[in-house]
Amino acid sequence: MNATPVGALLLCRADPATVRFPARLLREPMALAPAGEGWSVLVPENSPWLEGGEPVDAVLGGWAAALSIGTGRPVLALWWDGDGAGFTMASGFRRPVGYIWFADGTPVGEDEAMRTFAARLGLDPVLDVQALEQLTVADPESDARARLVGLAAVLTRHGLAL
């Protein structure tokens, strides 16, 4: 048995009323709650990635894409497991953008992904991009969990409240 927890959540840049119906179409039980002004969080009640199927990032990426198309809003899938953590952002029919960190916090993504992420969410092209780019720089003091917390911290400036 793996002692490292595996988890995931979806953040949608829309209120729960907008997300409720498209979330039901996923046919997966999920807790849906407000996550700040103009944000919703969905937490899967089951963990299909633990049943020998697809990895957590692939499952979440598919759910994010479906929710984004259903709501017409960006959806951010955050995931973590024993190997690391990361995110995938879906925004309609555009190609998803994402980033991964190994468990020790080593960045494994393309720097351009953070700029694309910021642009698609309408984040500040200077202040927010500078903060996000710090998450792509090697830092022995920051593990994968700290990188996700840093990502969430940038989004709190745009109404996210977890």
Side-chain angles (χ1 to χ4, degrees):
M1 182 168 139
N2 187 354
T4 304
V6 177
L9 59 86
L10 296 161
L11 299 172
C12 186
R13 191 103 193 238
D15 59 83
T18 303
V19 177
R20 187 168 286 112
F21 179 73
R24 280 192 231 146
L25 297 176
L26 296 177
R27 296 183 181 218
E28 287 289 334
M30 294 195 196
L32 171 64
E37 187 173 336
W39 288 89
S40 297
V41 61
L42 293 107
V43 180
E45 292 180 16
N46 298 325
S47 304
W49 47 85
L50 295 178
E51 299 166 6
E54 294 184 71
V56 63
D57 58 327
V59 173
L60 265 282
W63 288 349
L67 279 174
S68 179
I69 290 168
T71 62
R73 306 284 174 80
V75 176
L76 181 62
L78 302 177
W79 59 268
W80 54 94
D81 63 20
D83 296 327
F87 74 86
T88 301
M89 186 185 72
S91 52
F93 290 99
R94 293 178 174 175
R95 185 172 138 309
V97 62
Y99 206 88
I100 296 171
W101 298 275
F102 288 141
D104 68 359
T106 302
V108 192
E110 297 288 328
D111 293 347
E112 183 60 34
M114 288 298 191
R115 289 186 285 281
T116 302
F117 169 75
R120 289 186 187 173
L121 273 179
L123 305 182
D124 185 282
V126 177
L127 296 176
D128 293 330
V129 169
Q130 285 176 347
L132 290 169
E133 286 178 343
Q134 288 301 307
L135 300 174
T136 68
V137 177
D139 179 358
E141 302 295 317
S142 296
D143 62 6
R145 179 187 179 282
R147 303 295 183 139
L148 282 183
V149 170
L151 179 71
V154 170
L155 297 178
T156 62
R157 294 195 293 238
H158 298 276
L160 180 67
L162 291 176

